[in-house]
Amino acid sequence: MSATLAKIIDALGGALHGSPDLAIQRLAPLQSAGPADLSFLSNPKYASQLQTTQAACVIVAPALAEAALQRGACIVTDEPYLYFARLTQWWRKQHGLGYPPGVHASAVVHAEAHIHPSAHIGPLCVVEHGARIGAGTVLTSRVTVGERCVVGERCIVHSGVVIGADGFGFAPDKSRSGAWEKIEQLGAVRIGNDVEIGANTCIDRGALDDTVIEDGVKLDNLVQIGHNVHIGAHTAIAGCVGIAGSATIGRHCTVGGGAGILGHLTIADHVHISSVSTVTRSINQPGHYTGMFPIDDNASWEKNAASLKQLHKLRERVRAMEKHIELIAQKKNGPP
Amino acid sequence: MSATLAKIIDALGGALHGSPDLAIQRLAPLQSAGPADLSFLSNPKYASQLQTTQAACVIVAPALAEAALQRGACIVTDEPYLYFARLTQWWRKQHGLGYPPGVHASAVVHAEAHIHPSAHIGPLCVVEHGARIGAGTVLTSRVTVGERCVVGERCIVHSGVVIGADGFGFAPDKSRSGAWEKIEQLGAVRIGNDVEIGANTCIDRGALDDTVIEDGVKLDNLVQIGHNVHIGAHTAIAGCVGIAGSATIGRHCTVGGGAGILGHLTIADHVHISSVSTVTRSINQPGHYTGMFPIDDNASWEKNAASLKQLHKLRERVRAMEKHIELIAQKKNGPP
Amino acid sequence: MSATLAKIIDALGGALHGSPDLAIQRLAPLQSAGPADLSFLSNPKYASQLQTTQAACVIVAPALAEAALQRGACIVTDEPYLYFARLTQWWRKQHGLGYPPGVHASAVVHAEAHIHPSAHIGPLCVVEHGARIGAGTVLTSRVTVGERCVVGERCIVHSGVVIGADGFGFAPDKSRSGAWEKIEQLGAVRIGNDVEIGANTCIDRGALDDTVIEDGVKLDNLVQIGHNVHIGAHTAIAGCVGIAGSATIGRHCTVGGGAGILGHLTIADHVHISSVSTVTRSINQPGHYTGMFPIDDNASWEKNAASLKQLHKLRERVRAMEKHIELIAQKKNGPP
């Protein structure tokens, strides 16, 4: 399949500089684009790639239009990255890719589950008693949606996802020397609209109330969401993040890959957590937070790690020296 | 469904203060409980919530009975949290929820697997040759139990769990410039009774001997248990923990979410590892252990992380100064 | 089943010291081996176990042959660990274990997927449109291979693996106050030959180009590989590792369990990353790199972590003192 630039502009807008009849065969990154490919440049720091790319046409912001024109066709738009996102969606539709409505024959859907007719329930999914799947939502394949859990509209749930397993709740029984007594998890999971959930991610059901994922949230692969967590709208969480029970996360937050958020705390809107950082207390101010051990060659790390285990003592030694020096100074300046 | 307080007391004991005819419609946390709900208070630090909750009745310890009575009905018991755990179990049974015995038609169970008649093998599970599933055990859905692996009695295994995949064992072949030669994993997995395993958790089979999970162990979601690991009875391991091969963990331990335990080491009974901490050596004493980079605003972190990479040198500078100061002091106090 | 030492030597080579008629009933570690078991010793630091093991025969390197002979039969070979690896493979075949070619009746394989006749597609796998599975490759069970993704020859893909879910790509839409617009993931995943992929691991499809895993790569369980990652041949990655989008990793690298690699960076060949360490910048030199907070008893950790948050200030205080001391020294040595 190919599409002319005219057809693309017609569908998505933007100002075309170049021949509308140019046929595009593929979308490609600047570096690997060939002479029939359409590419994009959103981050100005890669502007130098304009000079070397073989792309037929490049999507750019107005500030880079002149540079792009010097090498060939371009589409100028205020938000090249957003334009590119929409282009990928349009491109996919043009190729006839997509998920048809209906329930795959191999899926196991409970008679009392509620599946919207426009939803796609892929192969080998399990949808349990009382679960609800909204309009246009896609469970790709091998997804579990547990009893009474709700997935909103236009969601995409990738393979291996488990929605509504039991939260991790146990009470120690002293009379049986600390054996754990299960707390049945009587809540469910409620997921809003336009949520995407990555492969093998788990969202536990609430203990009594529900676990809640608001509209527009994006979860990457292998994310763990504990029971009674509440994630605000349009928050994006990268792969391998773990969020412990009853944490409340604001709207428009981002959480980097491998980060952790401890339980029973609150994170404000517009908070950005770096990868591999652990949130151990509530964060009330928007901003960017980090806690990550810097990597080093192993020999240097060993020395620094050993010193770190003595850091508090080092601080006390510094304090002692400061006092000592002050004393010396006082004696010097004092009466003879 | 609803249940009177009389019926609850009759089933679970406890001292009721209030009308036995009060009908309870839901179990709920103090904060979100409505006027027909039963709640509980186990942590005294939340005692102030007694004044604001709308719950019809609250389960409390004797020490808080008076405060609870001032606002309405209460059930007094020595262990409110344990009582609440048993209440959730009773409540779930009253609602007719549970897993009926039998093998779901969509499960793939090998003819030479041994499934106890009271066990529940849910939709789209795979149980391989020679595997054994004990009495009352539940594989919820989409669970794999590999060949010759054994799951004891009354276990709950959540969706996506993989028991008995190959451990990660390879020998480098110098004659093929370091290509990896597979070490076939000939052991199995043996899981005791009353074990619960969270969604998408993996327990690898042993290389030669078996991987062993003792009675009453609780594993949360997305936990990785390497080959030949041995976990002692009643140890609880939170989500996203990784335990490397041949680690031996004692009884009644707890491991916080995202923590890691390196291979071939031993952890004593009653050891508690904080979230996101990595155990790099054997721990022989019970106690509480932590190793986690504290989170900070990103700018502060950047400065401290840069300093950390110089920490060993800083320590040497402090040592040098201490010597210098000592020298100054000696000169001062020495003979003129 | 049992096998005589003669039969083993015949199949795998090595110099036998002892009776060729000795019947071996099991392969076992030195510690737990019984008097009919064959064991091996590759790491000299465990040489003392030779004195206590009950094994019928031990595989050893020439340097340890004498010590081994003092206790009974042994097989001498230059590379005992490699010999043992091959022995496990031979042993498994003798036991008739293995994966027969063919597609299990419960697997959902698209009519336009390409499955080599010698491949094994286990129970409840999903293989989508245009996917290719090479000769001798095994998808054990409950594996997803997404559309157009390619798995080479002689690969082993364990239960729960997801190959070809969408990468995590979204553009913020300012006109909708930062809602995320999906970037359709139009690339695929290409996996070479002799690759092994552990349970519940995820490998995302590329955004435009493909995600690539070269020959001989070994991935453990619960590993996350982001879109457009490229992993060089014979690199081994342990459990729970996360690799963010567009990272390029060299050949013959090892990555320890729980480590993280941030996106858009490059790692040279023969780089070894310690467990739980995060790679935040490109690494151009082979070597061993680490960044991990050392574990300690919780009370010590609390003090050191608090000091760490003041480390930059501590460094400035040290600098100030050094200047001060220098000044004192100058005054002393200066003109009166």
Side-chain angles (χ1 to χ4, degrees):
Chain A
M1 185 209 117
S2 76
T4 60
L5 287 175
K7 201 172 167 191
I8 290 169
I9 294 291
D10 193 46
L12 298 164
L16 174 63
H17 300 258
S19 162
D21 298 331
L22 204 61
I24 296 301
Q25 254 145 47
R26 206 173 70 106
L27 311 184
L30 283 172
Q31 284 162 301
S32 61
D37 296 351
L38 173 55
S39 194
F40 76 102
L41 174 60
S42 72
N43 190 336
K45 91 174 179 191
Y46 296 123
S48 66
Q49 293 185 6
L50 276 180
Q51 290 155 29
T52 53
T53 185
Q54 299 191 13
C57 178
V58 181
I59 303 159
V60 292
L64 286 161
E66 201 169 331
L69 274 167
Q70 285 174 8
R71 52 155 304 283
C74 68
I75 295 170
V76 181
T77 174
D78 284 342
E79 302 254 20
Y81 197 46
L82 184 62
Y83 188 99
F84 167 69
R86 290 183 179 143
L87 173 59
T88 61
Q89 296 173 13
W90 180 84
W91 191 262
R92 191 162 189 269
K93 270 185 203 142
Q94 295 298 306
H95 280 73
L97 300 172
Y99 298 96
V103 176
H104 193 275
S106 66
V108 178
V109 175
H110 194 281
E112 287 178 57
H114 308 268
I115 314 283
H116 192 277
S118 66
H120 170 94
I121 311 299
L124 303 170
C125 290
V126 175
V127 184
E128 298 181 357
H129 182 259
R132 306 188 85 92
I133 310 294
T137 281
V138 169
L139 312 187
T140 59
S141 66
R142 300 203 302 100
V143 168
T144 297
V145 180
E147 70 184 26
R148 292 176 293 114
C149 294
V150 176
V151 183
E153 303 179 359
R154 298 174 303 280
C155 294
I156 302 176
V157 185
H158 288 283
S159 201
V161 166
V162 180
I163 296 169
D166 281 349
F168 199 60
F170 302 93
D173 183 351
K174 288 177 198 162
S175 72
R176 294 188 297 136
S177 55
W180 300 102
E181 191 80 42
K182 182 172 174 70
I183 297 168
E184 292 289 348
Q185 304 291 300
L186 304 171
V189 178
R190 273 184 291 134
I191 294 171
N193 301 327
D194 303 300
V195 170
E196 184 159 343
I197 305 174
N200 282 347
T201 280
C202 302
I203 306 174
D204 280 350
R205 65 175 61 246
L208 297 173
D209 291 334
D210 294 342
T211 303
V212 177
I213 313 289
E214 290 186 358
D215 292 350
V217 166
K218 310 297 179 186
L219 305 178
D220 198 356
N221 299 352
L222 290 166
V223 169
Q224 154 65 0
I225 308 286
H227 54 183
N228 298 105
V229 165
H230 189 118
I231 303 183
H234 309 296
T235 281
I237 296 179
C240 306
V241 165
I243 302 182
S246 301
T248 298
I249 300 175
R251 299 159 60 97
H252 297 288
C253 295
T254 60
V255 183
I261 296 177
L262 301 194
H264 294 275
L265 52 75
T266 301
I267 295 179
D269 295 351
H270 295 285
V271 165
H272 305 284
I273 307 296
S274 295
S275 300
V276 196
S277 303
T278 307
V279 181
T280 50
R281 54 176 175 79
S282 289
I283 296 180
N284 304 314
Q285 294 301 318
H288 181 191
Y289 298 84
T290 307
M292 186 204 300
F293 204 105
I295 197 164
D296 210 339
D297 65 274
N298 187 68
S300 299
W301 170 78
E302 279 192 355
K303 283 188 209 164
N304 289 323
S307 298
L308 180 50
K309 291 186 83 163
Q310 305 295 331
L311 182 56
H312 183 67
K313 283 181 191 157
L314 187 71
R315 200 177 169 194
E316 285 177 343
R317 282 158 61 187
V318 168
R319 202 173 297 153
M321 277 201 292
E322 285 170 338
K323 279 187 190 161
H324 203 120
I325 289 174
E326 204 181 334
L327 219 64
I328 293 173
Q330 279 173 356
K331 278 184 187 164
K332 256 203 187 127
N333 303 331
Chain B
M1 183 210 118
S2 76
T4 61
L5 287 175
K7 201 172 167 191
I8 290 169
I9 294 290
D10 193 47
L12 298 165
L16 174 63
H17 300 256
S19 161
D21 298 330
L22 204 61
I24 297 300
Q25 254 145 46
R26 206 174 70 106
L27 311 184
L30 283 172
Q31 285 161 300
S32 61
D37 297 351
L38 174 55
S39 194
F40 76 103
L41 173 60
S42 71
N43 190 335
K45 92 173 177 193
Y46 297 123
S48 66
Q49 292 185 6
L50 277 179
Q51 291 155 28
T52 52
T53 184
Q54 299 191 12
C57 178
V58 182
I59 303 160
V60 291
L64 286 161
E66 201 169 333
L69 274 168
Q70 285 174 8
R71 54 155 301 287
C74 67
I75 295 171
V76 180
T77 173
D78 283 343
E79 302 255 21
Y81 197 46
L82 184 62
Y83 189 99
F84 167 69
R86 291 184 177 142
L87 173 60
T88 60
Q89 296 174 13
W90 180 84
W91 191 262
R92 191 164 188 267
K93 271 185 204 140
Q94 295 298 307
H95 279 73
L97 300 172
Y99 297 97
V103 176
H104 192 275
S106 66
V108 178
V109 175
H110 195 280
E112 287 178 56
H114 308 268
I115 313 284
H116 192 278
S118 64
H120 171 95
I121 311 298
L124 303 170
C125 289
V126 176
V127 184
E128 297 181 358
H129 181 258
R132 306 189 83 93
I133 309 294
T137 281
V138 169
L139 312 186
T140 59
S141 65
R142 297 203 304 100
V143 168
T144 297
V145 180
E147 70 183 27
R148 293 177 290 115
C149 294
V150 176
V151 182
E153 303 179 0
R154 297 174 304 279
C155 294
I156 303 174
V157 185
H158 288 283
S159 201
V161 165
V162 181
I163 295 169
D166 281 350
F168 199 61
F170 303 92
D173 183 351
K174 287 177 198 163
S175 71
R176 295 189 294 137
S177 56
W180 300 102
E181 191 79 44
K182 181 173 175 72
I183 297 168
E184 291 289 349
Q185 304 291 300
L186 304 170
V189 178
R190 274 184 290 134
I191 293 172
N193 301 326
D194 303 300
V195 170
E196 184 160 344
I197 304 175
N200 283 347
T201 280
C202 301
I203 305 174
D204 280 350
R205 65 175 62 246
L208 297 172
D209 290 335
D210 294 342
T211 303
V212 176
I213 313 289
E214 291 186 358
D215 292 349
V217 166
K218 309 297 179 187
L219 305 178
D220 197 356
N221 299 354
L222 290 165
V223 170
Q224 155 65 1
I225 309 286
H227 55 182
N228 298 106
V229 164
H230 189 118
I231 302 183
H234 308 298
T235 281
I237 296 179
C240 305
V241 165
I243 302 182
S246 301
T248 298
I249 300 175
R251 299 159 59 97
H252 296 289
C253 295
T254 59
V255 183
I261 297 176
L262 301 195
H264 295 274
L265 52 74
T266 300
I267 295 179
D269 296 349
H270 295 285
V271 165
H272 305 284
I273 307 296
S274 295
S275 300
V276 198
S277 303
T278 307
V279 181
T280 51
R281 54 176 175 80
S282 290
I283 296 180
N284 304 313
Q285 295 300 319
H288 181 191
Y289 298 84
T290 308
M292 185 205 299
F293 204 105
I295 198 165
D296 210 339
D297 65 275
N298 187 68
S300 300
W301 170 78
E302 279 193 354
K303 283 188 208 164
N304 288 324
S307 299
L308 180 50
K309 291 186 83 164
Q310 306 296 330
L311 182 56
H312 183 67
K313 282 181 193 157
L314 187 72
R315 201 177 168 193
E316 285 176 344
R317 283 160 62 189
V318 167
R319 202 172 297 153
M321 277 201 291
E322 285 170 338
K323 279 186 191 162
H324 204 120
I325 288 174
E326 205 181 335
L327 217 66
I328 294 173
Q330 279 173 356
K331 277 186 187 162
K332 256 206 186 123
N333 303 331
Chain C
M1 184 209 117
S2 76
T4 61
L5 287 175
K7 201 173 166 191
I8 289 169
I9 294 291
D10 193 46
L12 297 164
L16 175 63
H17 299 257
S19 162
D21 298 331
L22 204 61
I24 297 300
Q25 255 147 45
R26 205 173 71 106
L27 311 184
L30 284 172
Q31 284 161 300
S32 61
D37 296 352
L38 174 54
S39 194
F40 76 103
L41 174 60
S42 71
N43 189 336
K45 92 174 179 192
Y46 297 122
S48 65
Q49 293 185 5
L50 277 180
Q51 291 155 27
T52 52
T53 184
Q54 299 191 13
C57 178
V58 182
I59 304 159
V60 292
L64 286 162
E66 200 169 333
L69 274 167
Q70 285 174 9
R71 53 154 303 286
C74 67
I75 295 171
V76 180
T77 174
D78 283 343
E79 302 255 22
Y81 198 46
L82 185 61
Y83 188 99
F84 166 69
R86 290 183 179 143
L87 173 60
T88 61
Q89 296 173 14
W90 179 84
W91 192 262
R92 191 162 190 269
K93 269 185 204 141
Q94 295 297 307
H95 279 73
L97 300 173
Y99 297 96
V103 176
H104 192 276
S106 66
V108 178
V109 175
H110 194 279
E112 286 177 58
H114 308 269
I115 314 284
H116 192 278
S118 65
H120 170 95
I121 311 298
L124 303 170
C125 289
V126 176
V127 185
E128 296 181 0
H129 182 259
R132 306 189 86 92
I133 310 293
T137 282
V138 168
L139 312 187
T140 58
S141 65
R142 298 205 301 102
V143 168
T144 297
V145 181
E147 70 184 25
R148 293 175 293 113
C149 295
V150 176
V151 183
E153 303 180 359
R154 297 174 304 280
C155 294
I156 302 175
V157 185
H158 288 284
S159 201
V161 165
V162 180
I163 296 169
D166 281 350
F168 199 60
F170 302 92
D173 183 351
K174 287 178 199 162
S175 73
R176 294 189 295 136
S177 54
W180 299 101
E181 191 79 42
K182 180 172 175 72
I183 297 168
E184 291 290 348
Q185 304 291 301
L186 303 170
V189 178
R190 272 184 292 134
I191 294 171
N193 300 327
D194 303 300
V195 170
E196 184 160 343
I197 304 175
N200 283 348
T201 279
C202 302
I203 306 174
D204 280 350
R205 66 175 61 246
L208 296 172
D209 291 335
D210 293 343
T211 303
V212 176
I213 313 289
E214 291 187 358
D215 292 350
V217 166
K218 310 296 179 188
L219 305 178
D220 197 357
N221 299 353
L222 291 166
V223 170
Q224 154 66 359
I225 309 286
H227 55 182
N228 298 107
V229 165
H230 189 117
I231 303 183
H234 308 298
T235 281
I237 296 181
C240 306
V241 165
I243 302 182
S246 300
T248 298
I249 301 175
R251 298 159 60 96
H252 297 288
C253 296
T254 59
V255 182
I261 297 177
L262 300 195
H264 295 274
L265 52 75
T266 300
I267 296 179
D269 296 350
H270 294 285
V271 165
H272 305 284
I273 306 296
S274 295
S275 301
V276 197
S277 303
T278 307
V279 181
T280 50
R281 53 175 176 80
S282 289
I283 296 180
N284 305 312
Q285 295 300 318
H288 180 191
Y289 298 84
T290 307
M292 185 205 300
F293 204 106
I295 197 164
D296 210 340
D297 65 274
N298 187 68
S300 299
W301 170 78
E302 279 192 355
K303 284 188 207 164
N304 289 323
S307 298
L308 180 49
K309 291 187 83 164
Q310 305 296 330
L311 181 56
H312 184 67
K313 283 183 193 155
L314 187 71
R315 202 177 168 193
E316 285 177 343
R317 283 159 60 186
V318 167
R319 203 172 296 154
M321 277 200 291
E322 284 170 337
K323 279 187 191 161
H324 203 121
I325 289 174
E326 205 181 334
L327 218 65
I328 293 173
Q330 278 173 355
K331 277 184 187 163
K332 252 199 189 130
N333 304 329

